[in-house]
Amino acid sequence: MAQYTYHSADSRGDANHGWLHSKHTFSFASYHNPERIHFGALRVLNDDYVAGGKGFGMHPHQNMEIISIPLEGDLKHSDSMGNSGVIQHGDIQVMSAGAGIYHSEYNKNHDKPVKFLQIWVIPNKMNVEPRYEQITLDPKDRKNVFQQVISPNPTDEGLWIHQNAWFNMADWEEGVEKEYTFHSKGNGLYIFVLKGDVLVDSQKLGARDGLGIWETDGIKIKAETPAEFLLMEVPMDV
């Protein structure tokens, strides 16, 4: 029988530093909730707002798959491997921290904020060679379907990470209903709603609500209004 864990938008950790306003679905930095450390291999889901010209200076990471998904504005990246670039809405960025990496993230613009999701996934291989990738996808390709943006396979659509995980993005019109089938037995699925109202099995979700589901092979999803959401399928046995 399917198991569920529901996280309402207003139950998330709230860190407001003025230039940075971050909402934490799972324990992060000064926000610690022993009941919300992770969902399987999904360790961090931060909903970040960064003011114009501000950002995160060079800092280290190790043995984590880090995914950035811009929602508004332009995010400038640089790292110790020599990579430098800007990601914006429609782009996906992946960084395998592996044996160790330093990077920085800044709002490229001084006159408007940047909003993005910062997601950490626990890898299935430790101390790999660090790597960085970004890709531009067409948001139209997620209209009324699941658009795959992350998988374990380098030859698949989107980017890949060191984990048996699949991410999809969706932008659905009101009334669209589909079934999501899990790729791998033992995986769970975490759904995070960006806009609108969604019905997942019998659970209603609004903007910035999250729902984790496991011990099932698939679920039914219906857009009760025009809706945008992110699906993150990850192993539960970590």
Side-chain angles (χ1 to χ4, degrees), residues 6-17 19-38 42-50 56 116-120 190 192 208-210:
Y6 168 66
H7 299 143
S8 65
D10 60 7
S11 72
R12 297 175 296 168
D14 189 349
N16 193 341
H17 305 286
W19 68 271
L20 168 66
H21 190 186
S22 184
K23 295 280 193 175
H24 309 314
T25 295
F26 304 105
S27 295
F28 187 85
S30 61
Y31 169 63
H32 181 73
N33 183 337
E35 296 182 355
R36 286 167 65 163
I37 302 297
H38 61 98
L42 180 60
R43 175 61 189 86
V44 169
L45 174 54
N46 289 350
D47 190 1
D48 287 347
Y49 164 105
V50 178
F56 308 91
F116 68 103
L117 301 180
Q118 179 184 172
I119 303 165
W120 295 7
Y190 195 90
F192 185 67
R208 265 46 181 193
D209 289 346

Side-chain angles (χ1 to χ4, degrees), residues 143-164:
K143 197 69 178 179
N144 298 328
V145 297
F146 300 119
Q147 181 191 32
Q148 182 175 290
V149 298
I150 298 287
S151 81
N153 307 308
T155 58
D156 275 3
E157 180 184 0
L159 297 176
W160 68 279
I161 60 173
H162 293 284
Q163 187 51 274
N164 194 35

Side-chain angles (χ1 to χ4, degrees), residues 77-114:
H77 167 94
S78 62
D79 62 46
S80 54
M81 294 182 291
N83 298 299
S84 181
V86 175
I87 57 172
Q88 52 193 198
H89 178 62
D91 297 343
I92 306 289
Q93 177 195 87
V94 163
M95 188 172 66
S96 297
I101 191 173
Y102 284 80
H103 80 132
S104 66
E105 306 282 346
Y106 278 93
N107 184 344
K108 181 187 176 185
N109 302 304
H110 289 267
D111 59 344
K112 59 183 178 182
V114 62

Side-chain angles (χ1 to χ4, degrees), residues 184-198:
S184 185
K185 188 175 180 63
N187 275 7
L189 182 72
Y190 195 90
I191 299 177
F192 185 67
V193 179
L194 298 170
K195 296 179 181 178
D197 298 313
V198 175

Side-chain angles (χ1 to χ4, degrees), residues 141-149 157 167-172 176-181 183 189 191 219-222 229-231:
D141 291 341
R142 64 191 65 154
K143 197 69 178 179
N144 298 328
V145 297
F146 300 119
Q147 181 191 32
Q148 182 175 290
V149 298
E157 180 184 0
F167 285 22
N168 285 266
M169 299 192 75
D171 179 1
W172 289 5
V176 173
E177 183 174 4
K178 295 183 183 296
E179 184 166 340
Y180 179 91
T181 302
H183 291 80
L189 182 72
I191 299 177
I219 56 166
K220 291 183 179 179
I221 305 172
K222 181 179 181 180
F229 51 97
L230 172 65
L231 302 96

